[in-house]
Amino acid sequence: MKKLKVLVWSMCLVLGACAVKPTTEVYTSERGTQWEWNKGTIVVHTPERPAGQKSVLGLTVPKMDVVRVGFVGLGMRGPGAVERFTHIPGTQIVALCDYEQKRAEDCQKCLKAASLPKAAIYSGEKGYEELCKRDDIDLVYIAADWLHHFPVAKCALEHGKNVAVEVPSAMNLKECWALINLSETSRKHCFILENCCYDWFEMNTLNMAQQGVFGEVIRAQGAYIHNLEAFWDYYWKNGKGDKLGWRLDYNMRHRGDVYATHGLGPVAQALDIHRGDRMATLVAMDTKSVVGKSLVEERTDSVCNNFRNGDHTTTLIRTAKGKVIEIQHNVMTPQPYNRLYQLTGTKGFANKYPVEGYALDAKQLAASGVQPKLDDLSSHGFLPQKEMEALVEKYQHPILKKYGEMAKEVGGHGGMDFIMDSRLVYCLQNGLPLDMDVYDLAEWCCLAELGELSMDNGCAAVEFPDFTHGEWNVVKGYKHAFASLEDEAATAKKAAEITAKLKQQGAKEWANNE
């Protein structure tokens, strides 16, 4: 840890002489973040909002008859996104970009299968820069490796594009603040592609929480526990000398919950983060690295003396209003997949892994609109199957009602990817605020660096910066935006007409090329 001592002097007269006393010591981390101690807590410096900028809470952009998209990063996640967009009316895939040209060209097959026009191809280390310069792209969809999420998003926002960024969307506080400033100055959306916010259980449970089924939610859990043993060698490698691939290399070099958003995103929405509450303080700790080190040693045939990330990381967060969040990360050890999604309320309880269920007593279940079949129903166990099904049916989220069946057909992590993409397009076509904004992006992604600060300083408490610049309590409660039924129908009709014309055009193009 590099240390920068800044002495703030106070002057006083002592017996006619001038005495000086150091009062504050400021440190600079290896990532360039400045912080100081305050009564045993690490306080990260929060930059002032630059003059002329204003909040993007509730940001909208003009309605789009057709959402013209450029995709950047077509390795593991990108091709699936391209294919999903061919099923969303009122979208046009204008450009495809990847470091390797062949991977971009391979995605043309998705357009051919859907009878949609060919897309322009970009490749190479800086191919995305040319894509972002185009004046016929509304949205840049970024599914590259982690280290390229920020530079591509930065370039796109600088060229006046809305951006959607795979997770984690920013790798440190510097990048978080830069994206906030770019979104605020450009007045363009910076959307975090957190698909777990659109899982069936999470969405229905969010609706229940918002309707008071669990009383006041005072504690939540989330995680990304996923043994990646079968995947390490499939992450993109930059040349033959790269034996680890970008994801293993990142875990070797950086400590903390480097992939927090799958667990944190859904519970942050349920707790109204920056919409009435905010994450105030965290404490993080990790195990030593055993599996991580062995993975490096197997691939490099040399001793690994410094694998930064522990095999299992736990972060505890307390909010300004006294709620607690627990987030875990483990991609190393053998255990079943688990996102730990759990809400503890004053009148009820929800749990997704390893058993999906809700715990409510008879009185609260009846108050929630479902008549229990058992007189002695208590919250000491999960609801019986029939009561649970009735509760889920009553509180099925409207977004699932709209996209659920189609999502099951199209797929993408069971359909939640398609729901996420469809909602993104729906909001852009109807000129509505997006489901997640740049402040969500920053709050969910900053856990990595803040956790690293905590663990590198004896698991000390760390204060969260306020990415909203004091406006975290302006909006009261997390909500999804919807158009009126009349506007929604008109927009959908226009989108279908545009897609029909694109398919006619595409069919002719592909026929002429055969």
Side-chain angles (χ1 to χ4, degrees), residues 54-125:
K54 61 180 182 178
S55 171
V56 289
L57 285 168
L59 175 70
T60 61
V61 297
K63 294 181 179 181
M64 302 177 190
D65 291 340
V66 56
V67 179
R68 302 167 299 177
V69 190
F71 287 90
V72 179
L74 298 167
M76 297 179 75
R77 290 283 290 152
V82 173
E83 201 276 333
R84 293 192 301 274
F85 265 72
T86 66
H87 296 277
I88 302 176
T91 63
Q92 181 179 3
I93 299 168
V94 174
L96 300 166
C97 176
D98 192 87
Y99 190 95
E100 299 177 9
Q101 183 174 338
K102 183 179 183 303
R103 296 203 296 198
E105 291 175 342
D106 283 347
C107 285
Q108 297 276 32
K109 298 174 184 176
C110 295
L111 305 186
K112 182 179 181 180
S115 296
L116 292 171
K118 278 188 173 182
I121 298 295
Y122 298 90
S123 60
E125 186 176 356

Side-chain angles (χ1 to χ4, degrees), residues 328-357:
Q328 297 186 38
H329 176 264
N330 184 336
V331 295
M332 297 296 178
T333 65
Q335 56 181 300
Y337 180 89
N338 193 341
R339 293 204 303 272
L340 277 180
Y341 181 76
Q342 187 181 98
L343 301 181
T344 299
T346 56
K347 296 182 179 180
F349 174 82
N351 188 80
K352 181 172 175 61
Y353 295 94
V355 177
E356 286 192 8

Side-chain angles (χ1 to χ4, degrees), residues 88 174 273 441:
I88 302 176
K174 182 179 179 181
I273 297 302
L441 182 155

Side-chain angles (χ1 to χ4, degrees), residues 190-206:
C190 187
F191 180 81
I192 180 170
L193 288 163
E194 183 36 73
N195 57 356
C196 293
C197 291
Y198 298 92
D199 181 75
W200 268 254
F201 189 88
E202 277 90 328
M203 291 216 80
N204 289 331
T205 303
L206 174 63

Side-chain angles (χ1 to χ4, degrees), residues 89-284:
T91 63
Q92 181 179 3
I93 299 168
V94 174
L96 300 166
C97 176
D98 192 87
Y99 190 95
E100 299 177 9
Q101 183 174 338
K102 183 179 183 303
R103 296 203 296 198
E105 291 175 342
D106 283 347
C107 285
Q108 297 276 32
K109 298 174 184 176
C110 295
L111 305 186
K112 182 179 181 180
S115 296
L116 292 171
K118 278 188 173 182
I121 298 295
Y122 298 90
S123 60
E125 186 176 356
K126 298 292 184 179
Y128 67 86
E129 293 182 353
E130 296 306 310
L131 180 149
C132 291
K133 291 176 184 177
R134 295 180 65 112
D135 58 7
D136 59 349
I137 289 177
D138 305 302
L139 173 70
V140 177
Y141 194 110
I142 304 164
D145 62 275
W146 295 354
L147 295 179
H148 285 89
H149 287 172
F150 171 74
V152 179
K154 177 177 181 290
C155 182
L157 286 165
E158 288 174 340
H159 284 87
K161 307 295 189 289
N162 298 287
V163 299
V165 197
E166 267 290 356
V167 297
S169 309
M171 307 311 296
N172 53 55
L173 289 170
K174 182 179 179 181
E175 293 180 359
C176 289
W177 285 115
L179 291 178
I180 288 170
N181 290 335
L182 284 165
S183 182
E184 290 183 349
T185 54
S186 69
R187 313 307 295 171
K188 296 295 182 182
H189 293 297
C190 187
F191 180 81
I192 180 170
L193 288 163
E194 183 36 73
N195 57 356
C196 293
C197 291
Y198 298 92
D199 181 75
W200 268 254
F201 189 88
E202 277 90 328
M203 291 216 80
N204 289 331
T205 303
L206 174 63
N207 193 30
M208 293 177 199
Q210 292 172 330
Q211 303 299 322
V213 171
F214 310 116
E216 182 179 4
V217 178
I218 59 173
R219 192 180 191 279
Q221 287 188 182
Y224 186 71
I225 297 173
H226 185 191
N227 181 10
L228 296 179
E229 181 180 6
F231 300 96
W232 291 117
D233 291 332
Y234 290 94
Y235 294 108
W236 182 73
K237 295 179 176 63
N238 187 12
K240 293 182 179 179
D242 184 351
K243 297 180 179 180
L244 301 182
W246 58 263
R247 189 162 186 173
L248 183 56
D249 181 77
Y250 196 89
N251 275 272
M252 180 179 69
R253 297 176 186 276
H254 298 282
R255 197 177 188 185
D257 192 333
V258 297
Y259 202 65
T261 67
H262 282 347
L264 183 55
V267 300
Q269 291 181 345
L271 291 175
D272 298 325
I273 297 302
H274 88 243
R275 299 165 180 90
D277 200 355
R278 65 179 294 263
M279 295 186 286
T281 311
L282 69 72
V283 173

